[in-house]
Amino acid sequence: METSVDTRELSPLVTAYIGDAYFHLYVRTRLLQKTHKIDKLHDLSAKIVSATFQADAYKKIEKYLTEDERTIFKRGRNAKSHAPRVATVQEYHASTGFEALLGELYLKKNFTRLDEICEMALTEEGIFE
């Protein structure tokens, strides 16, 4: 499938939507290296794809990001959205920014950098060493 999308025309919530989907799949696939038990896979992936985890992971990897990547994050973080009850407003907005960054990289087909950022998030949080 060859689809070209101008990410400048998209709401940051749309790129976050794509980034969320990508991160879910990345995490689930990566967790297969830890276990093949479905209950463990579900529990671990639910923890990792949470707003709280993503907000914390972003803080730890921010220093490794380019200025453009930080700008994309800020655009996503500042998008008007409603926080769920399971995370603070700040965590939810930060996780939206993180997902927007992933979504933008995915839509621009920058898969190498996308995987680097996802892997950094998991290793900085101690999920994988």
Side-chain angles (χ1 to χ4, degrees):
M1 176 175 86
E2 184 63 33
T3 305
S4 180
V5 177
D6 185 356
T7 56
R8 294 171 299 184
E9 295 178 8
L10 298 176
S11 158
L13 296 178
V14 171
T15 57
Y17 173 77
I18 298 298
D20 177 59
Y22 178 83
F23 195 59
H24 268 89
L25 183 58
Y26 185 91
V27 166
R28 288 176 179 187
T29 304
R30 189 72 167 79
L31 285 175
L32 291 175
Q33 294 175 345
K34 280 194 165 286
T35 184
H36 292 158
K37 296 180 179 177
I38 192 65
D39 58 330
K40 292 275 189 201
L41 288 168
H42 175 73
D43 291 345
L44 285 169
S45 67
K47 174 187 170 199
I48 296 168
V49 298
S50 72
T52 302
F53 176 92
Q54 291 175 355
D56 195 43
Y58 178 79
K59 286 181 208 167
K60 292 179 178 173
I61 69 167
E62 182 179 18
K63 62 186 171 226
Y64 303 112
L65 301 179
T66 67
E67 201 56 46
D68 286 342
E69 290 167 345
R70 286 189 197 108
T71 299
I72 295 165
F73 166 82
K74 289 175 187 172
R75 186 171 173 248
R77 180 197 62 200
N78 295 337
K80 186 172 174 70
S81 61
H82 301 287
R85 292 179 293 207
V86 296
T88 68
V89 172
Q90 292 83 8
E91 288 171 334
Y92 182 73
H93 288 301
S95 71
T96 302
F98 176 74
E99 291 169 347
L101 172 58
L102 300 182
E104 178 116 359
L105 291 169
Y106 180 84
L107 291 170
K108 288 183 173 178
K109 300 179 180 11
N110 191 346
F111 302 119
T112 301
R113 185 60 175 157
L114 181 60
D115 286 348
E116 287 173 358
I117 289 173
C118 288
E119 197 59 31
M120 275 192 284
L122 296 178
T123 55
E124 288 292 320
E125 284 297 303
I127 302 299
F128 294 96
E129 304 298 328

